[in-house]
Amino acid sequence: MNDVLALSGVKQAALIREGQISSEELLEAHRAHIARINPSLNAVIALTPSDSAARGPFEGVPFSVKDSIQIQGQACTAGTLGYRTAPPASKDAALVSRLRSAGAIPIARTNLPDLLFAFESDNLLFGRTNNPYNFSRTAGGSSGGEAALIAACGTPFGLGSDAAGSVRLPAHYSGIASIKPTSGRLDRTGHVPPAGGWIEMIWQIGPMARRVEDLIALMPILAGVPIEGLPPKNLAFFTENGILAVDEATRRTVREAAKALERIGYRVEEARPACIDQSYDLEMKILGPDGGDALRAFADSIGSDRMHPLFEGWLAKLEPYRTDLAGFARYWTELDRFRAEMSAFMTNYDAILSPVAAFPAVPHGASIDDAIFPGYSYTMTHNMTGWPAAVVRCGTSASGLPIGVQIAAPPRREDAALKIAHDLEEALGGWQMPAFLFT
């Protein structure tokens, strides 16, 4: 059964259709496995009752859901004290409903940071989630519970959300695959906090999985339309964004990924958009033109009278970007110029390969450090552009930590990003089973 748990959702669904395993057996095996691994990981905050499966391509296959995405009959806490007694959701989030319609069954809610604001998953309600490759390291945030659970074979795939890297950074830290779709591509109804305000254009719910074939199968289900286009051919790659240098293992991994793609027929060129060194400041400007006051007011309005130190650290980093209305207008002008320059760069390429972050998984509590935090700018770039960006594991650090590579494509070209990610997975191996599962 452990071999079955390590399969992709696509392959688990095939076993059910072929009669080699029943959905009930598969669900029970995942639940029993979660009971074994969760004391070490603290990735799951609650198991959810299993309903009968609808007919569809993922009939009978379990999935997990970040605890900021509503499941009917379950509370949604967003990891914050103000929602600790939240009533059960009256209906599923739109994307949970779409997965159910495809036959998949939600079985677990997963951990995240306080109101989603940290690059590691730790909060005052449920505590911290550990990285499955090294328990002293974080699994990332804000979709860190999802990443840790999927990496440890707790579910084959799940749903996260991303406003600064929150499905991509945990995938990188935890050695799985994920995609942030084009901003606005997928329905965000049923997310907590809800969509709205000036950050609407930078965030998106996205799927996470051990294997890229699941992401390829999930995207049309989630979007409600086919996801397809011409095969990508021309690629740019870079290893430094001019904000924070990456470590040597990350640099080597990106270069090896570029060489692997070149060997199988892609045209690959080392090139970097000139404006990309603005990514960090632009993300912070769009998130914090009020110095974080809107976030503080929202937390206060729902009764979160205390916030996790990592959230407080985020707010402190937003304070230097406080401005007035005229300053906010300048921020948007800068953002428009940045998006135009990035689009002009892409006239010559079908996708860009880059690091996901400056380092592999960092120790618990370190993500907010000034020497580390700007390294998350590699994902912020594509929240600013709104482009789809996928992540797949392509390497391993000397200490055994996963290293992912980010693949960004033009708007609505999720197919291109995922095709390249799949080719990299086949060439370089992708997900590897964490050693603790063998013991």
Side-chain angles (χ1 to χ4, degrees), residues 59-79:
E59 183 175 347
V61 175
F63 70 98
S64 45
V65 181
K66 180 181 181 180
D67 192 34
S68 60
I69 300 170
Q70 292 179 335
I71 301 173
Q72 184 177 10
Q74 298 290 305
C76 188
T77 74

Side-chain angles (χ1 to χ4, degrees), residues 150-208:
I150 293 167
C153 302
T155 55
F157 59 80
L159 293 173
S161 56
D162 187 316
S166 291
V167 301
R168 290 162 291 154
L169 188 277
H172 161 61
Y173 276 2
S174 300
I176 65 167
S178 70
I179 185 167
K180 177 198 77 68
T182 307
S183 294
R185 185 83 193 256
L186 303 185
D187 194 328
R188 290 169 284 195
T189 305
H191 190 275
V192 179
W198 60 78
I199 68 167
E200 176 77 13
M201 53 76 67
I202 71 171
W203 76 282
Q204 182 62 73
I205 297 174
M208 309 171 73

Side-chain angles (χ1 to χ4, degrees), residues 94-117:
L95 298 187
V96 172
S97 179
R98 290 197 171 182
L99 291 182
R100 282 196 203 262
S101 296
I105 300 173
I107 67 163
R109 293 160 45 214
T110 55
N111 204 27
L112 72 172
D114 192 339
L115 271 180
L116 291 70
F117 266 84

Side-chain angles (χ1 to χ4, degrees), residues 277-293:
D277 59 0
Q278 302 168 30
S279 301
Y280 178 80
D281 281 339
L282 278 174
E283 174 88 23
M284 302 301 278
K285 286 173 178 177
I286 298 302
L287 285 176
D290 61 352
D293 288 348

Side-chain angles (χ1 to χ4, degrees), residues 200-224:
E200 176 77 13
M201 53 76 67
I202 71 171
W203 76 282
Q204 182 62 73
I205 297 174
M208 309 171 73
R210 278 190 302 280
R211 293 298 183 188
V212 177
E213 70 174 347
D214 279 350
L215 301 180
I216 292 171
L218 288 166
M219 272 303 303
I221 295 168
L222 297 172

Side-chain angles (χ1 to χ4, degrees), residues 278 282 285-286 289 321-338:
Q278 302 168 30
L282 278 174
K285 286 173 178 177
I286 298 302
Y321 297 91
R322 182 185 293 275
T323 189
D324 56 16
L325 184 59
F328 192 34
R330 288 193 295 272
Y331 288 175
W332 278 96
T333 299
E334 292 174 26
L335 178 60
D336 286 344
R337 186 181 302 116
F338 175 83

